[in-house]
Amino acid sequence: MALSPERTVGEALIDIYRKVEAGQRLSAEDGLRLYQTPNLTGVAAMANLVRERLNGDTTYYVRNQHINYTNICNKFCKFCSFYAKKGGPDPYEMTLDEVRARLEWHRDVRITEVHMVGGINPRLPYSYYMDLVRLVKEVMPGAHVKAFTAVEIEQIASKGKVSITQALKDLMDAGLDCLPGGGIEILSDRVHRELFGRKLSGEEWKAVARAAASLGLPQYATMLYGHIETLEERVEHMVQLRELQDEVGNFLSFTPLSFHPENTDIPDVKPLTGDNDLRNIAVSRLMLDNFAHIKSFWIMNTPEVTQASLWYGADDCDGLVHEYEITYKEGDFGNKKQALTYENMCYIIREAGRVPVERDSLYNVVERSPEELAVTNRQPMTPLALVH
Ligand code: SF4
């Protein structure tokens, strides 16, 4: 006989369970207890209750392609393995023709989302960013353009000598559909000072989010965890995001992103475990009561942990992800083609006992004809067990 949720959460968490059951908001103290309790199964049971209340068995994925247009960057964030530096990846800056070739390579797969982010490269002019967005719309007219973290938006505005709002307006005129989030990592002044002090502050990040909301530009939110932040700082990040969502209401989903120390300036940080990834998904599902979706990014979490996460609060696996270059591991440069086929993605979700549903960037359901489903990826796929 299955245990009731009350039995699963036990006496120590029963007060939090009562709040979750009643749909009440959890406090920062509750969030900290969810991180500290050894009863991860109990936390998962509560997160699953919320997940099924909001999304049932549905598990979303998107046909997406990533384009990281440059890895030249003047911010030197200590947690970053992506930007060009001695002993790391060689510097590059993609021309529009190179971007066009990447887009055309995947056109058969009927990509519905092109996700573009890059380093803060002072050589790129204002017009480059507008041209990038226009190019995606020209080559893939049906695809959403999800592009530029808040720190890139700040850079674009600075290059154009215009306000953040004007830069966003110009990008939207060119075809920008939504912002991917990112750019702040974690809303903590201490971590900001220690790891990424050259990037915008938490308040500046929020100003970009507010400007996007005022223009009706949908956006995503993330949290990078597992570096030097404390559990209290993770909870504080979620509380601040929750307050911002109360105010702007246009965050589509939240993605906890696990930190990978290899080839960063803080290589001695202990790598995260699957339990840690699952707990972050579960706690975020419970704390972010005004976010409709919690995403498990399989590239960082592995497909296996992502399968389990579908019972820990996640209802989204991100996407097929053609080419991803942000998390650099030595020897990876010959194999940037990190991707799952449509069949593999659906298999992973069904094997976990959930129902795969293709979505677009705005969580509209995408219906496919049998002919479209028959088209599979054109490049060798990442073997399921070898993603990390
Ligand atoms: S995280 Fe972004 S801004 Fe920071 S160094 Fe890396 S590419 Fe540059």
Side-chain angles (χ1 to χ4, degrees), residues 70-83 118-120 149 151 185 196 199:
T70 182
N71 69 347
I72 296 168
C73 187
N74 62 12
K75 299 297 181 193
F76 313 117
C77 304
K78 288 186 184 164
F79 62 83
C80 181
S81 62
F82 168 68
Y83 76 92
I120 305 305
T149 62
V151 65
E185 323 316 337
F196 54 101
K199 284 216 283 204

Side-chain angles (χ1 to χ4, degrees), residues 27 79 84 119 175 177 253 259 280 317 342:
S27 66
F79 62 83
D177 293 295
S253 76
F259 172 64
N280 276 285
C317 296
Y342 148 77

Side-chain angles (χ1 to χ4, degrees), residues 14 165 205 244 258 319 324 342 356 359:
I14 196 69
T165 300
W205 181 87
L244 189 60
S258 54
Y324 184 77
Y342 148 77
R359 64 165 175 87

Side-chain angles (χ1 to χ4, degrees), residues 211-223:
S214 73
L215 296 171
L217 185 63
Q219 51 194 330
Y220 289 73
T222 62
M223 173 180 78

Side-chain angles (χ1 to χ4, degrees), residues 102-141:
R102 291 261 183 124
L103 291 167
E104 287 181 344
W105 182 252
H106 296 299
R107 196 144 57 169
D108 288 0
V109 188
R110 308 291 174 104
I111 302 280
T112 60
E113 175 182 289
V114 178
H115 185 143
M116 293 193 293
V117 291
I120 305 305
N121 180 344
R123 291 201 305 225
L124 296 176
Y126 192 67
S127 58
Y128 176 86
Y129 301 94
M130 312 300 146
D131 290 344
L132 260 186
V133 175
R134 273 191 216 103
L135 179 62
V136 177
K137 288 294 185 186
E138 180 203 323
V139 179
M140 292 184 177

